[in-house]
């Protein structure tokens, strides 16, 4: 069985020292090993941004696509080969601005993939513009007088879109993050894990210290919290202003998309023979006579 | 005895025009006639005038006719709008319910048949289509048994009683009109057809069937006219083959999902029209850059923007050839017949895997939606070629990645699929080295650009040019693409009668442009006319840019939403003469 070291490659990330993304990379590598995967059984599909580079830093199959489209690409990979473990990953701009449409519909569709958002409340790669996750009043290069748009709550959106697995974590809490990614991989359906991942270069507000002060850890502070209760989950997200971490909601009743497609087998579609028998072909043609 | 005839049915959208046409033409197909259909419709669901025209012939035809022999009308508007097409002495079969009148100046015989009344007598006005097609059938003096068999097949699932009633409706329609006319009309007596079994289908269905034959097992798409029939066909057929169709949230999702699935090894396609193609552009670049196979069908309609969404046009050519930023290899092929729609899909999937490039299959509304007879497809010619796909790579040294983008003499690199034990590599739209890792090295950039862009050097696809070039020094070379071929051939017959010699080249390989193959044809001709359904002469632009000969080239353009008529092509060519 592969250890987490086997999920490392020799590419040096080009992230700034101290960037939260390093720990997310480590957590994915650990979780993959902990659930018993071999590197070739994992595909990491990422978007564009500082965060999007992650697929190149993990020893596994990886595709670094275009801005905002990690999810539809990842869903295509999963449909083609459901035997692979598919992780989609990208920034808050990638998933909640340009790719928001895909995020909501991927949640509704509920394919068995894990989506890890590296949420730094800012656009890192383009050097510090506002993101849908930025706080109101947040001053950035593109909002010199402070953002005047309301802050998006991806957790509430996910809940209302019918998500079957919603979690949030903080890159400094490697233990919790690793456990949540493992749970996400094991969940039979779409899992959303939003991860606070401080951008030390462009976000001077939402810093490591800021998160440490403001985060509510569900497990520690609400030991009786029941993540199968949808209404309670929604309430808790609102009560904590979205700053809670842990497993927020899980629905194990709903089947994954793959399991609901008529005629879809358990074996990877990519393993099937491409040819059509003559008998089948003739039957299809007969409809046009 | 005549060898061909034109028939049209008109009415309000949603009142049975489609089904009348379907049942009438299916029965004609059974008798072995060649058929060519044209649908005039608007983007409304109920209401609004719509009409379907079919040309019926004892020999192969691939064009609508200028004129009309029989018009079946469900309302006066259908008569008013279409009677001018009737040739003198033509026939109108109209519902007696609305007291039909023949417009002034039109020389046509009117048969007012109580279409609605008869249908209602039998229980439902829905059966209007049966009465109307029965009346048409009767006028042609064709055997009712064949028609009844088609009815049985259409309604068999609904039980014997329904079949009975419909057959009765057909019979009443036929009997009524025959009594009025005093028997079948001599001038509409068609020669017997050759009786050979043909297929009768629209281009989109042939595309769908072609996908299945090509081993395509997934489609991701967003609905749009005139492409939706492809997804609607495939969702009915793919489950039996273990595959599926995903209706995505938009065309960007559709194309990127297809890229993901192709990357993971399943032949996957998407289909759209101009607006969707515009949304796909960035992703097409990703497929080009990452050398991921991808097949897209663009069923062109009237643009720009929402344009004329239910009308004919061929104006996306430049978007297909040039669309996406930066420079990538890409193949654009344009089927020119129903048979092409089928075989070209197999070709498209093979090319996309052999060269690891996006392939766009370009149709137009008339080819995608016009229902026509075609030759049966040849099962034995179906061949699947997955190019340099390998099951697995040899074991790599520790920390070494598989060279997915290895520099090879032909520019195409071996490809493994995710899941393979030793094949791990990276894929990115960022410029990358042989293992797929990002690289900004100038030398690597040059090598990788050259590798990708030279993959298609010298490419010539099956029938890249379809030529009918009987003359070594034709007065006129006519060049077209897509659905216009049959119309051009019809005009050429008339031109030949006038002593004008013509050659005809249909350009099927739009990109990379088949310059070398086309030049000899251009050289031979005294004059050249390029015929296309757009306003800016996009095909002629390609020819001039790649092959030259601008001095003797003229364009015939039509962009009013309607396909060319043979007479228009004939007249324009005569004027050049
Ligand atoms: C279509 C498109 N528009 C814009 C860009 C430029 N761009 C690259 S990354 C990015 C936003 C990055 O922010 P985020 O997704 O939050 O990722 P981060 O860098 O913060 O990890 C933008 C706007 C692009 N690559 N593609
Ligand atoms: S700019 Fe911010 S998000 Fe990007 S690598 Fe640096 S710290 Fe990380
Ligand atoms: Mg960000």
């Amino acid at each position: 069985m592969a250890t987490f070291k086997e999920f490392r490659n020799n590419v040096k990330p080009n992230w700034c020292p101290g960037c939260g993304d390093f720990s997310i990379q480590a957590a994915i590598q650990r979780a993959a090993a902990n659930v018993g995967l071999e590197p070739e059984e994992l595909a990491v599909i990422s978007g564009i941004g500082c965060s999007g580079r992650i697929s190149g830093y993990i020893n596994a199959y990886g595709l670094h696509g275009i801005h905002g489209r990690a999810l539809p690409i990842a869903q295509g990979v999963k449909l083609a080969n459901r035997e692979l473990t598919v992780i989609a990953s990208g920034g808050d701009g990638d998933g909640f601005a340009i790719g928001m449409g895909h995020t909501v519909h991927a949640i509704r569709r509920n394919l068995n993939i894990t989506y890890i958002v590296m949420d730094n409340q800012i656009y890192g790669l383009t050097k510090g513009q506002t993101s849908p996750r930025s706080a109101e009043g947040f001053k950035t290069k593109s909002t010199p007088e402070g953002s005047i748009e309301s802050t998006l709550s991806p957790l509430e959106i996910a809940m209302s879109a019918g998500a079957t697995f919603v979690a949030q974590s903080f890159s400094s809490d490697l233990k919790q993050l690793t456990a949540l990614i493992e749970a996400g991989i094991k969940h039979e359906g779409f899992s959303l894990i939003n991860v606070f991942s401080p951008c030390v270069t462009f976000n001077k507000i939402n810093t490591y210290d800021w998160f440490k002060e403001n985060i509510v850890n569900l497990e520690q502070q609400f030991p009786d919290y029941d993540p199968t209760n949808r209404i309670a989950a929604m309430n808790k997200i609102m009560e904590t202003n979205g700053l809670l971490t842990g497993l927020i909601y899980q629905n194990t009743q709903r089947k994954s998309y793959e399991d609901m497609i008529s005629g879809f087998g358990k074996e990877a579609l990519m393993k099937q023979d491409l040819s059509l028998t003559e008998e089948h072909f003739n039957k299809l043609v007969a409809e046009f006579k | 005895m005549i060898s061909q005839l034109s028939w049209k049915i008109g009415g309000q959208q949603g009142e049975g025009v489609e089904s009348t046409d379907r049942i009438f033409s299916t029965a004609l197909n059974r008798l072995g006639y060649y058929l060519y259909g044209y649908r005039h419709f608007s983007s409304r669901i109920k209401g609004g005038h719509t009409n379907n025209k079919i040309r019926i012939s004892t020999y192969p035809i691939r064009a609508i006719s200028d004129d009309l022999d029989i018009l079946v009308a469900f309302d006066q508007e259908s008569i008013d709008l279409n009677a001018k097409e009737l040739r003198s002495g033509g026939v109108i079969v109209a519902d007696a319910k609305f007291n039909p009148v023949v417009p002034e100046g039109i020389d046509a015989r009117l048969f007012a048949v109580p279409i609605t009344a008869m249908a209602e007598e039998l229980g439902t006005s829905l059966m209007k289509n049966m009465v109307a097609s029965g009346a048409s059938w009767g006028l042609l003096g064709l055997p009712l048994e064949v028609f009844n068999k088609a009815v049985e097949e259409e309604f068999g699932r609904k039980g014997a009683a329904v079949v009975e009633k419909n057959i009765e409706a057909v019979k009443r329609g036929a009997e009524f009109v025959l009594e009025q006319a005093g028997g079948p009309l001599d001038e509409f007596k068609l020669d017997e057809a050759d009786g050979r079994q043909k297929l009768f289908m629209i281009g989109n269905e042939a595309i769908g069937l072609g996908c299945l034959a090509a081993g395509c097992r997934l489609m991701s798409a967003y609905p749009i006219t005139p492409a939706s029939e492809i997804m609607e066909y495939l969702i009915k057929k793919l489950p039996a083959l273990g595959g599926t169709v995903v209706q995505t949230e938009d065309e960007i999702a559709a194309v990127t999902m297809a890229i993901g699935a192709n990357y993971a090894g399943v032949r996957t396609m998407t289909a759209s029209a101009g607006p969707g193609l515009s949304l796909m552009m960035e992703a097409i670049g990703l497929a080009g850059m990452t050398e991921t196979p991808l097949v897209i069908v663009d069923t062109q309609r009237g643009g720009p923007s929402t344009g004329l969404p239910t009308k004919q046009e061929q104006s996306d050519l430049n978007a297909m050839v040039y669309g996406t930023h930066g420079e990538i290899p890409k193949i654009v092929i344009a089927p020119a017949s129903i048979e092409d729609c089928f075989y070209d899909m197999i070709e498209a999937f093979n090319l996309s895997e052999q060269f690891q490039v996006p392939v766009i299959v370009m149709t137009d509304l008339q080819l995608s939606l016009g229902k026509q007879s075609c030759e049966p497809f040849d099962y034995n010619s179906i061949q699947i070629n997955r190019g340099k796909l390998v099951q697995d790579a040899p074991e790599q040294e520790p920390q070494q990645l598989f060279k997915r983008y290895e520099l090879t003499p032909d520019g195409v690199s071996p490809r493994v699929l995710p899941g393979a034990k030793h094949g791990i590599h990276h894929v990115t739209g960022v410029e990358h080295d042989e293992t797929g890792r990002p690289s900004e090295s100038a030398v690597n950039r040059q090598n990788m650009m050259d590798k990708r862009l030279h993959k298609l050097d010298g490419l010539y696809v099956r029938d890249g040019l379809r030529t009918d070039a009987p003359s070594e020094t034709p007065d006129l070379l006519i060049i077209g693409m897509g659905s216009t071929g049959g119309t051009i051939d019809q005009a050429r017959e008339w031109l030949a009668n006038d002593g004008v010699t013509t050659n005809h080249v249909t350009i099927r390989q739009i990109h990379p442009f088949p310059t070398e193959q086309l030049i000899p044809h251009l050289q031979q001709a005294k004059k050249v006319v390029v015929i296309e359904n757009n306003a800016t002469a996009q095909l002629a632009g390609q020819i001039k840019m790649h092959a030259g000969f601008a001095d003797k080239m003229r364009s015939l353009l039509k962009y009013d939403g309607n396909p060319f008529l043979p007479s228009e092509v004939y007249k324009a060519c005569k004027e050049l003469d």
Side-chain angles (χ1 to χ4, degrees):
Chain A
M1 226 169 53
T3 65
F4 74 90
K5 286 191 181 137
E6 284 163 69
F7 288 90
R8 287 186 184 157
N9 62 18
N10 57 7
V11 184
K12 193 174 164 293
N14 61 0
W15 293 320
C16 309
C19 175
D21 294 352
F22 283 102
S23 309
I24 300 178
Q25 175 200 342
I28 293 175
Q29 288 162 329
R30 278 162 200 269
N34 292 350
V35 297
L37 288 176
E38 296 296 329
E40 70 273 10
E41 295 169 334
L42 173 66
V44 181
I45 312 300
S46 60
I48 300 295
C50 293
S51 46
R53 288 286 178 129
I54 195 162
S55 58
Y57 304 151
I58 293 172
N59 187 44
Y61 282 93
L63 194 156
H64 175 231
I66 46 178
H67 193 28
R69 320 300 169 197
L71 281 175
I73 297 174
Q75 291 170 88
V77 172
K78 187 69 183 183
L79 284 167
N81 187 348
R82 60 182 299 180
E83 293 169 25
L84 290 172
T85 291
V86 178
I87 292 180
S89 186
D92 46 324
D94 202 75
F96 303 142
I98 191 166
M100 188 70 213
H102 305 311
T103 302
V104 170
H105 292 284
I107 290 170
R108 289 182 53 234
R109 214 168 272 130
N110 199 38
L111 264 100
N112 188 5
I113 62 183
T114 299
Y115 182 35
I116 301 170
V117 182
M118 302 153 86
D119 180 3
N120 54 12
Q121 295 84 22
I122 195 143
Y123 283 13
L125 190 71
T126 45
K127 300 192 166 52
Q129 299 85 4
T130 187
S131 126
R133 292 284 298 131
S134 302
E136 273 188 74
F138 186 54
K139 286 191 177 154
T140 68
K141 285 184 184 160
S142 59
T143 51
E145 294 181 48
S147 166
I148 52 173
E149 296 175 18
S150 71
T151 308
L152 193 93
S153 170
L155 304 178
E156 285 170 54
I157 289 177
M159 290 301 299
S160 62
T164 56
F165 185 109
V166 179
Q168 188 159 257
S169 190
F170 176 29
S171 67
S172 291
D173 191 346
L174 192 60
K175 196 163 152 249
Q176 182 199 49
L177 178 56
T178 306
L180 286 173
I181 296 174
E182 281 173 47
I185 291 174
K186 288 183 189 151
H187 176 71
E188 301 261 338
F190 187 89
S191 41
L192 169 71
I193 306 173
N194 191 62
V195 188
F196 299 128
S197 178
C199 168
V200 293
T201 306
F202 296 110
N203 191 334
K204 305 294 182 194
I205 305 288
N206 308 107
T207 59
Y208 284 98
D209 286 342
W210 186 91
F211 281 112
K212 277 181 194 134
E213 252 164 59
N214 288 284
I215 274 176
V216 177
N217 183 312
L218 274 180
E219 224 180 336
Q220 289 165 8
Q221 300 184 29
F222 299 95
D224 297 332
Y225 180 78
D226 172 13
T228 65
N229 184 331
R230 193 157 180 251
I231 294 171
M234 204 65 167
N235 281 336
K236 196 56 82 188
I237 295 169
M238 292 193 196
E239 272 168 34
T240 57
N241 202 15
L243 285 167
L244 67 179
T245 63
L247 175 60
I248 299 162
Y249 180 70
Q250 185 170 18
N251 170 353
T252 52
Q253 304 304 305
R254 190 178 169 81
K255 282 193 199 161
S256 72
Y257 186 84
E258 303 91 297
D259 283 339
M260 292 203 279
I261 303 172
S262 147
F264 209 68
K266 287 277 179 202
E267 195 186 58
L269 190 53
M270 53 80 77
K271 289 187 178 164
Q272 290 188 19
D273 184 20
L274 298 193
S275 60
L276 200 58
T277 65
E278 186 158 14
E279 191 191 349
H280 197 136
F281 178 76
N282 289 339
K283 208 175 101 198
L284 291 166
V285 168
E287 288 176 23
F288 301 105
K289 285 182 177 167
Chain B
M1 290 285 213
I2 53 171
S3 58
Q4 59 148 309
L5 183 90
S6 270
W7 175 92
K8 183 185 256 193
I9 171 138
Q12 294 292 301
Q13 213 140 272
E15 73 168 342
V17 169
E18 282 295 319
S19 58
T20 309
D21 176 24
R22 187 173 60 245
I23 197 97
F24 182 63
S25 47
T26 302
L28 285 163
N29 183 54
R30 293 285 161 74
L31 286 172
Y33 289 105
Y34 289 90
L35 305 167
Y36 187 91
Y38 174 65
R39 279 170 76 191
H40 167 104
F41 65 110
S42 59
S43 55
R44 282 168 66 177
I45 301 306
K46 288 256 178 193
H49 174 73
T50 173
N51 67 63
N52 285 18
K53 185 171 178 178
I54 42 176
R55 192 166 168 207
I56 307 151
S57 168
T58 55
Y59 55 88
I61 37 160
R62 288 188 301 127
I64 48 172
S65 55
D66 282 273
D67 57 6
L68 186 62
D69 297 290
I70 301 176
L71 172 64
V72 179
F74 283 155
D75 54 17
Q76 186 62 39
E77 187 186 3
S78 297
I79 300 181
D80 296 342
L81 287 172
N82 299 292
K84 58 180 183 308
E85 266 177 55
L86 282 165
R87 65 169 178 72
S88 112
V91 161
I92 300 173
V93 176
D95 195 344
K97 183 180 168 195
F98 61 88
N99 296 320
V101 288
V102 180
E104 225 167 286
I106 301 283
D107 165 30
R109 269 209 283 175
L110 173 71
F111 296 105
V113 182
I115 295 177
T116 305
M118 283 178 163
E120 280 170 353
E121 252 172 58
L122 286 165
T124 164
S125 65
L126 285 177
M127 273 190 288
K128 272 164 68 173
N129 50 6
M130 291 296 134
V131 182
S133 41
S136 305
W137 199 257
L139 281 177
L140 301 187
L142 293 168
L144 265 183
E145 308 81 72
V146 179
F147 205 106
N148 292 346
K149 205 151 168 274
V151 174
E152 252 175 66
E153 271 161 40
E154 170 107 4
F155 299 102
R157 308 174 266 124
K158 298 190 180 165
V162 176
V163 172
E164 257 334 80
K165 277 207 167 152
N166 279 285
I167 287 181
E168 181 61 23
V170 169
K171 188 168 147 241
R172 289 198 193 173
E175 278 173 359
F176 187 93
V177 79
L178 284 175
E179 198 176 309
Q180 281 208 338
L185 298 179
D186 274 349
E187 69 266 38
F188 294 155
K189 195 124 191 63
L190 277 162
D191 272 331
E192 244 178 68
D194 63 12
R196 264 188 334 104
Q197 185 66 69
K198 297 158 195 71
L199 304 181
F200 183 51
M201 65 203 306
I202 62 172
N204 282 350
E205 289 165 335
I207 287 170
L209 192 55
C211 287
L212 298 178
C216 166
R217 295 295 175 262
L218 280 175
M219 177 188 193
S220 42
Y222 191 78
I224 191 167
T225 303
S228 300
E229 291 77 9
I230 303 172
M231 71 186 291
E232 289 161 8
Y233 176 76
L234 286 176
I235 191 57
K236 281 188 276 177
K237 304 302 173 194
L238 275 173
L241 290 159
T244 193
V245 173
V246 181
Q247 179 177 326
T248 53
E249 54 275 21
D250 59 31
E251 288 85 350
I252 299 177
V255 70
T256 47
M257 199 177 280
I259 289 172
N262 275 297
Y263 158 69
V266 172
R267 286 190 160 189
T268 305
M269 57 92 68
T270 185
S272 190
L277 183 75
S278 293
L279 286 182
M280 292 180 194
M281 286 303 174
E282 188 193 9
I284 292 173
L286 176 69
M289 184 63 159
T290 57
E291 307 192 46
T292 307
L294 173 67
V295 174
I296 299 171
V297 175
D298 176 19
T299 60
Q300 298 171 97
R301 64 185 210 183
S305 187
T306 306
L308 291 173
T310 61
K311 303 284 185 219
Q312 165 72 4
E313 210 162 89
Q314 299 176 318
S315 55
D316 297 349
L317 186 149
N318 284 341
M320 286 183 241
V321 172
Y322 298 114
T324 203
H325 59 282
E327 296 155 309
I328 58 157
K330 188 201 288 165
I331 298 171
V332 182
I333 49 179
S337 65
I338 300 282
E339 290 86 346
D340 281 352
C341 287
F342 175 79
Y343 294 111
D344 281 353
M345 289 316 295
I346 302 168
E347 174 107 350
F349 277 102
N350 285 343
L351 290 168
S352 77
E353 287 208 303
Q354 280 171 264
F355 295 98
Q356 303 175 4
V357 294
V359 177
I360 306 182
V361 178
M362 162 207 267
T363 72
D364 52 47
L365 183 134
Q366 174 56 15
L367 181 56
S368 271
L369 298 187
K371 203 166 177 177
Q372 354 174 354
S373 305
C374 74
E375 295 302 323
F377 304 137
D378 177 15
Y379 176 78
N380 293 315
S381 74
I382 303 169
Q383 254 160 23
I384 287 170
N385 181 343
R386 306 201 68 180
K388 292 192 189 177
L389 182 64
V390 293
Q391 280 304 312
D392 202 351
E395 199 170 336
Q396 311 287 328
E397 295 292 308
Q399 288 295 333
Q400 287 304 304
L401 294 183
F402 171 69
K403 286 192 179 173
R404 168 69 185 88
Y405 301 102
E406 187 183 336
L407 296 167
T408 58
D410 64 2
V412 183
S413 317
R415 172 172 162 243
V416 292
L417 302 177
K421 177 89 188 136
H422 305 296
I424 289 182
H425 60 274
H426 193 46
V427 173
T428 172
V430 173
E431 188 58 274
H432 43 265
D433 65 16
E434 288 181 287
T435 65
R437 285 182 179 164
S439 163
E440 289 185 349
S441 139
V443 175
N444 177 72
R445 164 68 172 179
Q446 185 97 33
N447 288 341
M448 284 295 162
M449 283 295 282
D450 291 346
K451 162 201 195 320
R452 288 188 295 266
L453 293 171
H454 291 310
K455 281 195 289 191
L456 300 178
D457 283 354
L459 176 76
Y460 187 63
V461 307
R462 177 188 76 89
D463 273 355
L465 297 182
R466 180 162 299 136
T467 58
D468 179 15
S471 167
E472 273 176 27
T473 50
D475 297 323
L476 193 59
L477 167 65
I478 309 181
I479 300 179
M481 62 178 163
S483 67
T484 58
T487 308
I488 292 171
D489 283 338
Q490 172 79 78
R492 286 173 69 215
E493 270 178 43
W494 298 333
L495 289 164
N497 292 340
D498 296 350
V500 182
T501 56
T502 62
N503 284 353
H504 179 188
V505 171
T506 304
I507 301 191
R508 289 179 18 83
Q509 179 175 326
I510 303 291
H511 184 82
F513 197 78
T515 312
E516 229 177 278
Q517 289 80 3
L518 183 62
I519 283 178
H521 292 279
L522 294 164
Q523 271 164 345
Q524 289 171 341
K526 291 190 197 116
K527 281 181 191 159
V528 179
V529 63
V530 184
I531 296 187
E532 48 192 316
N533 275 126
N534 61 54
T536 54
Q538 299 182 27
L539 181 62
Q542 292 290 310
I543 301 171
K544 288 177 195 166
M545 181 173 84
H546 292 286
F549 300 95
D551 49 340
K552 60 177 172 185
M553 202 176 302
R554 298 289 173 272
S555 278
L556 174 58
L557 306 173
K558 186 171 181 182
Y559 41 93
D560 67 356
N562 297 303
F564 284 102
L565 291 172
S567 62
E568 292 168 340
V569 174
Y570 167 76
K571 247 183 257 154
C573 291
K574 278 296 273 186
E575 277 161 21
L576 282 182
D577 192 32

